[in-house]
Amino acid sequence: MSTAPTAQVADDFRALYGTEPDGVWAAPGRVNLIGEHTDYNDGFVMPFALPHSTVAAVARRTDGRLRLHSADLDAGVTELDLDTLAPGTDRDWTAYPAGVVWALREAGHPVTGADIHLASTVPTGAGLSSSAALEVVVALALSDLHALGIPRWKLARLCQRAENVYVGAPTGIMDQTASACCEAGHALFLDTRDLSTRQIPLDLAAEGLRLLVVDTRVRHTHSDGEYGKRRAGCEKGAALLGVDALRDIPYDGLDEALATLGDEAEVRRLVRHVVTEDQRVERVVALLEAGRTREIGPVLTEGHASLRDDFRVSCPELDTVVDTAVAAGALGARMTGGGFGGSAIVLAEATDTDLVTKAVEAAFAAAGFTAPRTFEAVPGEGARRVTR
Ligand code: ADP
Ligand code: MG
């Protein structure tokens, strides 16, 4: 089941806290169609929302207390005092929702406390952004219940701040913006420099196509040093090239930039990925808007090669999905999310998806990998209130 049952979450809230929730909210996980590791380089991304969501039943409190419970973990209720919330104090899952409350209050929003119970159908650590779904559902619920009227893009910013500063995970702005701003039937073209967005219609079924998500079951951890190293390398590249961010290197200025970087081999690879990836996002947008959907396939596969060879964030399982799917007739495939595990996406003719799925399963079995989990992704709704 992809959507957590709303009524169940409300019932569990009542059983847990002995009171009525004020409402139930939902926020989705996402897959990124194209634009990987560009969001902390002021570049372009194009995620869409999954039907998989985190659903939270929430009641406002006025006594400065925050109570948190997740149906998905074997932990009891955590109770926190809002005045004691501080970055780095909480290494548990509760750092995500507590961080959101901290970020809201730090930005001057008068949050007075809450009881929260949640359940999620977003797989965690699969590169599908369960962390952003968790943050955004809490932020939206608190914004509604405290009548804060915070615009979606700003909610996303506050959630990113919670994750960066409170949790201590140096993520970009894509995941939170996707969860907060996506619309059903569309991918979200996001310029992470000014946070401007364009909804790009994406109705693959109407064209006889399907997009599969293949969860390799290899769990990444963002907090390990690799992500931070890539980020630092990108910043070094921008500094050496004298620009604010790698976004400022145009595609037709890439050769000159690479020449300028001389023997900085690692930085050159990172720069080449980011600059070509931004261009791939623009190509995909143009192709989709021109109705040439099938032609995005090779661009996705090109993006994977760049992440594997230049950015070096893939892993054998992700490469196996991509190589096998393409060899079995898929139009294109790539890893999605930060890398080092997590999920890949595969674009295929609807008539070929069984064949492709079976080929990937067989290749995983032959390699001795844990069996992957495959599901079809259809662009779903962004964060929303589901009941009063
Ligand atoms: P991803 O966002 O790719 O799923 P992250 O490492 O960024 O992976 O975030 C996963 C973490 O978010 C989990 O380890 C957990 O701390 C928290 N989390 C996500 N969903 C839930 C949930 N339903 N209940 C409790 N914690 C959750
Ligand atoms: Mg995450």
Side-chain angles (χ1 to χ4, degrees):
M1 187 176 351
S2 53
T3 309
T6 303
Q8 183 70 50
V9 174
D11 282 349
D12 290 349
F13 180 101
R14 287 182 200 98
L16 192 64
Y17 296 119
T19 54
E20 267 310 292
D22 292 325
V24 178
W25 288 259
R30 59 98 191 98
V31 283
N32 190 20
L33 188 60
I34 188 81
E36 217 65 77
H37 288 277
T38 48
D39 68 339
Y40 50 85
N41 289 297
D42 278 4
F44 304 126
V45 296
M46 197 160 50
F48 65 83
L50 289 171
H52 305 67
S53 298
T54 300
V55 174
V58 184
R60 193 166 79 99
R61 296 177 68 104
T62 53
D63 61 356
R65 308 291 292 169
L66 177 65
R67 292 198 288 177
L68 300 167
H69 186 260
S70 168
D72 305 319
L73 296 175
D74 230 358
V77 173
T78 297
E79 186 160 350
L80 299 165
D81 178 349
L82 297 193
D83 290 333
T84 66
L85 298 183
T89 53
D90 187 352
R91 290 272 150 249
D92 210 357
W93 76 275
T94 50
Y96 295 86
V100 168
V101 174
W102 170 83
L104 284 165
R105 281 164 56 91
E106 218 222 8
H109 299 296
V111 174
T112 56
D115 288 338
I116 300 176
H117 166 71
L118 58 90
S120 184
T121 53
V122 187
T124 56
L128 303 176
S129 211
S130 69
S131 59
L134 172 54
E135 291 151 11
V136 170
V137 78
V138 168
L140 182 64
L142 294 176
S143 174
D144 283 356
L145 287 179
H146 292 80
L148 303 176
I150 303 171
R152 293 296 177 109
W153 68 268
K154 218 173 202 170
L155 274 186
R157 265 274 186 250
L158 289 166
C159 290
Q160 184 202 13
R161 192 163 158 68
E163 188 153 346
N164 289 173
V165 180
Y166 199 95
V167 177
T171 59
I173 188 67
M174 168 172 67
D175 298 352
Q176 294 83 0
T177 308
S179 189
C181 302
C182 278
E183 291 179 10
H186 294 78
L188 183 76
F189 177 38
L190 167 67
D191 179 339
T192 63
R193 168 158 279 169
D194 62 9
L195 299 189
S196 60
T197 56
R198 198 153 94 224
Q199 301 286 346
I200 310 291
L202 187 65
D203 185 355
L204 297 170
E207 303 199 47
L209 297 173
R210 279 195 188 151
L211 195 111
L212 303 176
V213 175
V214 183
D215 176 2
T216 63
R217 316 282 291 278
V218 178
R219 291 298 175 249
H220 70 82
T221 47
H222 262 317
S223 334
D224 81 11
E226 294 300 326
Y227 185 95
K229 272 192 230 160
R230 301 301 183 287
R231 242 185 123 128
C234 289
E235 278 161 23
K236 183 174 174 190
L240 289 171
L241 294 166
V243 292
D244 286 343
L246 293 183
R247 149 72 177 280
D248 295 311
I249 308 294
Y251 181 70
D252 59 14
L254 178 59
D255 288 345
E256 192 188 324
L258 295 177
T260 308
L261 291 169
D263 54 10
E264 290 278 356
E266 188 186 337
V267 176
R268 283 164 54 114
R269 283 192 286 98
L270 299 178
V271 168
R272 187 163 53 208
H273 168 71
V274 173
V275 174
T276 58
E277 185 77 352
D278 273 336
Q279 197 240 8
R280 279 186 285 274
V281 179
E282 293 187 289
R283 277 159 67 200
V284 167
V285 171
L287 287 168
L288 289 177
E289 291 191 327
R292 293 159 59 189
T293 309
R294 281 175 173 73
E295 290 171 58
I296 74 171
V299 188
L300 304 184
T301 309
E302 216 180 274
H304 183 77
S306 179
L307 288 160
R308 181 190 62 210
D309 302 336
D310 274 346
F311 222 68
R312 302 194 181 172
V313 291
S314 190
C315 66
E317 291 83 354
L318 288 166
D319 293 342
T320 298
V321 177
V322 171
D323 295 345
T324 310
V326 172
L331 297 164
R334 61 181 287 271
M335 52 159 278
T336 186
F340 309 110
S343 301
I345 54 172
V346 175
L347 180 70
E349 301 289 346
T351 47
D352 289 342
T353 48
D354 282 351
L355 191 79
V356 169
T357 305
K358 288 204 172 81
V360 170
E361 282 167 0
F364 267 55
F369 299 153
T370 303
R373 203 159 30 202
T374 302
F375 61 90
E376 185 183 356
V378 177
E381 282 178 87
R384 63 213 174 269
R385 186 171 190 156
V386 284
T387 67
R388 294 280 124 200

